[in-house]
Structure formats: structure tokens, C-alpha cells
Amino acid sequence: MPRPDVPDLVERARRGEARAVARLISLVENGVEAGAGDAGTADLRAVAAALAPHTGRAHVVGLTGPPGVGKSTSTSVLVGALRAQGRRVGVLAVDPSSPFSGGALLGDRVRMGEHATDEGVFIRSMATRGHLGGLAWATPQALRVLDAAGCDVVLVETVGVGQSEVEVVALADTTVVLLAPGMGDGVQAAKAGILEIADVFVVNKADRDGAAQTVRDLRHMMSLDGGEGGRGWKRPVVPTVAARGEGADDLVAALDAHRDWMDAGGERRRRRIARAGSEIQAITLERVRARIGDLSDASGLPGLAERVVDGELDPYGAADELAGTVSGR
Amino acid sequence: MPRPDVPDLVERARRGEARAVARLISLVENGVEAGAGDAGTADLRAVAAALAPHTGRAHVVGLTGPPGVGKSTSTSVLVGALRAQGRRVGVLAVDPSSPFSGGALLGDRVRMGEHATDEGVFIRSMATRGHLGGLAWATPQALRVLDAAGCDVVLVETVGVGQSEVEVVALADTTVVLLAPGMGDGVQAAKAGILEIADVFVVNKADRDGAAQTVRDLRHMMSLDGGEGGRGWKRPVVPTVAARGEGADDLVAALDAHRDWMDAGGERRRRRIARAGSEIQAITLERVRARIGDLSDASGLPGLAERVVDGELDPYGAADELAGTVSGR
């Protein structure tokens, strides 16, 4: 396969050409999968470098919540509400639940059908494809592709369970936590820690029994800390009935208010700097990991491992010896 | 809290004292959670060093499979069958599914009630406790505690979904994959990749419709590669009805046969050396990570992150600069 013309792809993506956007995200995914020295790695780096000057505009919104809460429907409805205002929208549906998924599980996402032919919407499903941590690597770059392609808002929706909530927080300017009535009381949810990560709460299925109680529980819980959870931002609780599209405009308003609040006080920039810092650290660490792997034979790792198996050495002592080799001390 | 007397704890654990075993595993867990320089880290290292001479005897068996297949019941029944032969058994029930679990979800595990008062059985539930990757770090050391405590067999059962299957393979001498009829056809399972990791197959709920077909599908699939999946070991398919205890002795026999095969050809030792090597690498890498964290301010990471946010630099270019600082180049 010929090497891609990355600057041309970025230029076409910036003009909103869906195929160029898709190709760039594929290059990012393949690059993350590729080993050091592979052409894919060079492509990833070329894409990252070419995107850099064109990023930083999109409002990145993460959506998370327990399974069954209506995340998918809410995402779709939110896309509709944003499109009705003429905004360009990107959607990344991220599934970190299985290393065995072997590709994007969601396929063409039938439920997104109404938006599939809309030129103002880019939808992409991402799965781990067997590479541990691969999703965490590829997603920030995929976000940058959608950002450079002129998306005003990029929605990152996590599918499945696991560390997805943590990953969303690590990616988003604004984190939306969706709850629904009858999914356990407020105390349970608070215990689970998921409430702490929210910038905006949505109580979906608000037409069901117990919805008012869930909203009250949330507001009561927040009254204990002034509703801001130490943020300086009073976190709104937005009731929705996503299946009927109700509350979508309120949610858009809440997202905009949070964005404006972040921009006014410099919070968005602070979050982004912290995020970029973590990403740089992770990339650096991955390189060191590769270097340890490369050096493993030379550094006597098999011998160390054998001594651990024979009970002559514990793994921490062995790591002392290996670290000495790798760092060149 | 006074610092623990680690050699005394290890001595008591070796005599089979359950409280000493539990305390050592807690020290391991806390040590993994602790930051560098914390007393917990010193305790972890002391435990690892004190255990080293007393490990390597236990047969480590991992149990995995899709949710609903009967893993918990199968584990319990397997414990009973091993105890009936007078063998000492350890059980680690590992739940990597949620970073928000805030402790061992399984508590006292009512279903293990029949074994709870048996002095020949140690049962421990482990959860991630919010530390990404914490489980992967703590589990090998917890295994060593149970090994040193004289367990003949240690069962590692994964609860929940996610990367648990991969982690089990990384830990176990023998990996048991449980399936049940009606959970999708053989092609699906093969596609999911879970079949590749098995040393022994169990078709649980073998009294249900479709069980014979599932067994046939598995055997047919394996006939294509001689049943050995490139291992040199013909992987058995054991039908069980765990809820009634049926097939447990057959499963024990299959596990013993795999252990004997591994020992005869040196395969167990090879697997353990590979495993110890991965563990040493991971510990080394974690130290480098901590060092990058320590150096972050000095290394100008915030400035690099800011340049990434401003689009002046991409994260890969920033990592080049950071790596130069950290490695002292």
C-alpha cells in the first residue's frame, strides 16, 4: 500500500471531507497498533504533527453512566439538537470492554442511521482491537482529527464497562454522567464514585417512576458541598427523556454553560494542559517500555526471571538489577 | 500502626495460619497502592523477599469464560473435589471490572460458605480499589503468599469482564476456559479468541439442551489443529454440571494431567520464567513511570503540555523532548 499523503488528507479533512477524516483516524489507529520502526508509526507521527496547528477549537464532551441508562439514545438525541443549531458534530463511540472484540463492535450503528447521511456529523466506533491500552492511545489523536475537521462539539461515548469512565474524564472538557431512576439509590451511586467525575448530570427516562426522587437525591447530595464538588461550578441536573427527544435542548444549554464557565476562568485551558501532560508522559513511558523490551535479552532478563522462578531472587530485587541495565547506570 | 514483623508472618503463613496469610496479602495490596517512599512499599518489598525461597510449588489454575457460564459455582465445586483428596487449596477471586469498586465486591462470598470454615482452604477476593493496573500488580504477589502457605493448587477466578481473560493467562500454569450451551455457536466463540487461551475446556451446564452440540463443536474445531492449538498438548473438553457437582473429579484429573505434561517437558518452568520476566519488566517500567512523574516539573513537562495545547507541538514531538530529559541523554 502506498504511503499516505498526510498533509493532503489533513487539508481535505479540514474541508470536511468524510473520507479523509475516516482515513486519518484509521492511520492513527494503525499507528498505535504498529510496533516501533513500522511505517504505521511514522504515519501516526506525521498525522499528529500535521494536525497540531489546527486543533484546540472543539468542545469535547464525554458521556458516561451505568449500562442501561440510555447513553446511546442520549448521544443520538444530542447530535440532533446540536445539528438543529447548525453545529458540526463528531461522535467517538469507544468500547474498551473486550480485548477480544477484534474490531469496532458497533458497526454502522443502526441507531445513528438518521445522522449517517448528514455531512455535518462524523461518527466513529473505536474498539481495543486486542492491544492493551490501545484505545487510550488512539482516542486523543482521533479527537484531534475530528477537532481539525471543524467539529464544534465532539461527543465521546463509552460503551461497555471497565475503566471507560476514567478514560472519558481523562479526555473530555465536560463530563456528563447519565443516571436513570431505579438504578440504585443515591448513596449507592455516590459510593461508586461515578458522581464525582460529573460536570453535568442527566437523569434520563425522567418519565419513569422514581425519576423525581433521583433528581432530588442528586440535588440533596450536592447541597452538602454547595453542588460544586470543589469545582467552583454548580453542577446542573438535567432531566431528559431521550427516547422522545425531551430535554435535549436543556442539555445543550448546560454543556454550553459549562464550556463558557471553563473558558471565562481559564479552567478549560488548565484541563487541557493537564491532559496533554498525561499524554506526553504516556507516550514517553511507552517508548521506555519498548526500549526495555528491546534490551531484554542484552540486559539478562531471562537469567533474572529464572532466578525469580527458582526462589533465589524476588521480582522487586530483579527489577533493581534490570533498571540498572536499562538506565545505563 | 506498628510495622509488621514480615519474617514472623511468613513463618506463620507457612504453618497455615489463615490470619497471617490474610495479613500478608493485605500488605501486598497496600504496598501496590502505596506511593514510592511510603512504608507500604517497603513492606511489599520485604514480603516479596521473604516469600521468594518458599514459592514455586503450587499449581496455579486460572478459570475464565463468558459471564453466566457458572465460573463461581465451578470454582466452589472444584475446591470441594480437591479438598476431598486432602489437597490444600487457595482461591483468588479477581474483579477487574470497575475502578470504582472501592474494595472487594464479593465480600464473604456466601456461595463459598461451605468452605469458609475449612482450614485447608484460603479464599481471597481482590478488586482494583481505584488503582489502574493495581490488580495486575498485586495478584502475582498474592499468588506467592498462597503458594508459600502450602497450597497445592491455587485457583484464580476472574469476575466481571474486561481484560480479565488476558490477565488470567498471564498468571496461570493451566488456563481453564468455561463455556455453556446456548452462549453462541462455536464460530462466535472462536472469533472471540477466548478459545485460544485454553489448556482445558469445560462445558458446564452439560445437562442442558445443546450441550452435546457445544462439546462436538469444540472437538471439531480442535480436530482442525490436532486439538493442541500449537501447544503439543491435546486439550481435553470436560462436560460438567457444576450445580450438582458432576464432572468435578474429571476436571481435577484433567488439571493434573496438564500439570504432569507441563512438568515432564519443562513447559511449566518455561511458562513461569516468561511470566517472571514480564513481571520484572512491569515493575521496572513502573519505577520509570514514577521517575518520570518525579521529574515532571524539573523536566519542563508543563511547558511542553502548554505548547501541545497551543498547537505548537504534537504530543509525540513533546515526548521526544521529555524522553531526552528523563533518560539523561
Side-chain angles (χ1 to χ4, degrees):
Chain A
M1 206 158 109
R3 296 291 297 280
D5 182 347
V6 169
D8 178 61
L9 282 171
V10 169
E11 215 31 62
R12 281 159 51 206
R14 291 186 64 207
R15 289 198 301 265
E17 202 182 298
R19 268 194 306 181
V21 171
R23 180 93 172 92
L24 285 169
I25 295 181
S26 296
L27 286 173
V28 163
E29 288 185 322
N30 294 338
V32 166
E33 302 284 317
D38 187 282
T41 304
D43 292 340
L44 168 62
R45 296 203 53 154
V47 171
L51 290 174
H54 309 296
T55 55
R57 217 182 58 86
H59 181 199
V60 181
V61 176
L63 292 102
T64 189
V69 80
K71 283 196 292 287
S72 307
T73 316
S74 297
T75 303
S76 186
V77 163
L78 193 50
V79 170
L82 289 162
R83 288 301 297 144
Q85 300 183 3
R87 296 199 239 181
R88 192 178 278 265
V89 185
V91 178
L92 283 180
V94 167
D95 184 354
S97 66
S98 173
F100 295 124
S101 62
L105 285 173
L106 305 170
D108 291 324
R109 307 232 301 178
V110 174
R111 64 185 172 77
M112 280 289 189
E114 57 180 309
H115 304 300
T117 55
D118 180 345
E119 291 194 352
V121 182
F122 300 108
I123 299 168
R124 180 77 173 212
S125 300
M126 301 181 78
T128 58
R129 306 165 75 189
H131 179 79
L132 294 182
L135 208 54
W137 294 91
T139 311
Q141 292 302 326
L143 278 173
R144 287 195 178 90
V145 174
L146 293 171
D147 187 354
C151 290
D152 299 290
V153 180
V154 179
L155 306 175
V156 184
E157 176 206 342
T158 53
V159 183
V161 295
Q163 294 166 345
S164 50
E165 292 86 355
V166 174
E167 293 189 5
V168 160
V169 177
L171 290 167
D173 298 321
T174 301
T175 299
V176 178
V177 170
L178 289 94
L179 299 170
M183 303 198 58
D185 62 18
V187 175
Q188 278 304 103
K191 210 166 148 189
I194 199 173
L195 301 189
E196 288 163 29
I197 67 178
D199 297 306
V200 173
F201 290 103
V202 166
V203 176
N204 192 27
K205 307 184 183 180
D207 54 341
R208 294 214 183 155
D209 285 347
Q213 185 61 46
T214 302
V215 172
R216 267 197 305 274
D217 285 350
L218 276 173
R219 290 189 172 142
H220 173 71
M221 185 199 75
M222 287 192 295
S223 70
L224 304 175
D225 65 5
E228 59 170 41
R231 284 168 175 72
W233 157 254
K234 190 160 167 23
R235 302 184 286 167
V237 180
V238 182
T240 65
V241 185
R244 294 203 303 260
E246 293 173 20
D249 290 333
D250 295 338
L251 178 53
V252 169
L255 297 177
D256 287 349
H258 185 247
R259 182 201 58 204
D260 293 344
W261 170 81
M262 280 192 298
D263 283 342
E267 172 71 10
R268 183 147 66 144
R269 188 173 164 80
R270 275 193 294 277
R271 287 191 187 193
R272 289 187 164 194
I273 289 172
R275 229 150 70 200
S278 301
E279 195 183 358
I280 297 166
Q281 283 194 30
I283 293 168
T284 308
L285 193 65
E286 175 57 24
R287 294 214 189 135
V288 175
R289 195 200 60 68
R291 202 173 152 212
I292 291 176
D294 291 346
L295 284 179
S296 286
D297 292 332
S299 65
L301 181 67
L304 291 171
E306 209 159 346
R307 286 169 63 199
V308 168
V309 170
D310 291 338
E312 294 167 14
L313 195 63
D314 71 87
Y316 292 86
D320 289 340
E321 299 200 16
L322 184 63
T325 313
V326 172
S327 72
R329 272 187 289 139
Chain B
M1 205 156 112
R3 295 291 295 281
D5 182 347
V6 169
D8 178 61
L9 282 171
V10 169
E11 214 32 62
R12 282 159 51 205
R14 292 187 63 207
R15 289 198 301 267
E17 203 181 298
R19 268 193 306 180
V21 171
R23 180 95 171 91
L24 285 170
I25 296 181
S26 295
L27 287 174
V28 164
E29 288 185 323
N30 294 338
V32 166
E33 300 286 316
D38 187 284
T41 304
D43 292 340
L44 168 62
R45 296 202 53 153
V47 171
L51 289 174
H54 309 297
T55 55
R57 217 181 58 84
H59 181 199
V60 180
V61 176
L63 291 102
T64 191
V69 80
K71 283 196 293 285
S72 308
T73 316
S74 296
T75 302
S76 186
V77 163
L78 193 50
V79 170
L82 289 162
R83 288 300 297 144
Q85 300 184 3
R87 294 199 241 181
R88 193 178 278 265
V89 185
V91 178
L92 283 181
V94 167
D95 184 354
S97 65
S98 172
F100 295 125
S101 61
L105 284 174
L106 305 169
D108 292 324
R109 305 233 303 179
V110 174
R111 67 188 170 76
M112 279 290 188
E114 58 180 308
H115 302 302
T117 55
D118 180 345
E119 290 192 353
V121 182
F122 300 108
I123 299 169
R124 180 78 172 211
S125 299
M126 300 181 80
T128 57
R129 304 166 76 188
H131 180 80
L132 294 182
L135 209 54
W137 294 91
T139 310
Q141 291 302 327
L143 278 173
R144 287 196 178 90
V145 173
L146 294 171
D147 187 353
C151 290
D152 299 290
V153 179
V154 179
L155 307 175
V156 184
E157 175 206 342
T158 53
V159 182
V161 295
Q163 295 166 344
S164 50
E165 292 86 355
V166 174
E167 294 189 3
V168 160
V169 177
L171 290 166
D173 298 321
T174 301
T175 298
V176 179
V177 170
L178 289 94
L179 299 169
M183 305 197 58
D185 63 16
V187 174
Q188 278 303 104
K191 208 169 151 190
I194 199 173
L195 302 188
E196 288 163 28
I197 66 177
D199 297 306
V200 172
F201 290 104
V202 166
V203 176
N204 192 27
K205 307 185 183 180
D207 54 341
R208 296 215 182 154
D209 284 348
Q213 186 59 46
T214 302
V215 172
R216 266 196 304 274
D217 284 350
L218 276 173
R219 290 190 171 139
H220 172 70
M221 185 197 77
M222 287 192 296
S223 70
L224 304 176
D225 65 6
E228 57 169 42
R231 284 168 176 73
W233 156 254
K234 188 160 168 22
R235 302 183 287 167
V237 180
V238 183
T240 65
V241 186
R244 293 201 304 259
E246 293 172 20
D249 290 334
D250 295 338
L251 178 53
V252 170
L255 297 177
D256 288 349
H258 185 246
R259 182 202 57 205
D260 292 345
W261 170 81
M262 280 191 297
D263 284 342
E267 173 70 11
R268 182 146 69 144
R269 187 174 164 79
R270 275 193 294 276
R271 286 192 187 194
R272 288 185 166 197
I273 289 172
R275 230 149 69 199
S278 302
E279 195 182 357
I280 297 167
Q281 283 193 29
I283 292 169
T284 308
L285 192 65
E286 174 59 22
R287 294 213 188 134
V288 175
R289 196 200 58 71
R291 199 168 156 218
I292 291 175
D294 291 346
L295 285 179
S296 287
D297 292 333
S299 65
L301 180 67
L304 291 171
E306 210 159 345
R307 287 169 62 199
V308 168
V309 169
D310 292 337
E312 295 167 14
L313 196 65
D314 71 86
Y316 293 87
D320 289 341
E321 299 201 14
L322 184 63
T325 312
V326 172
S327 72
R329 274 188 288 138

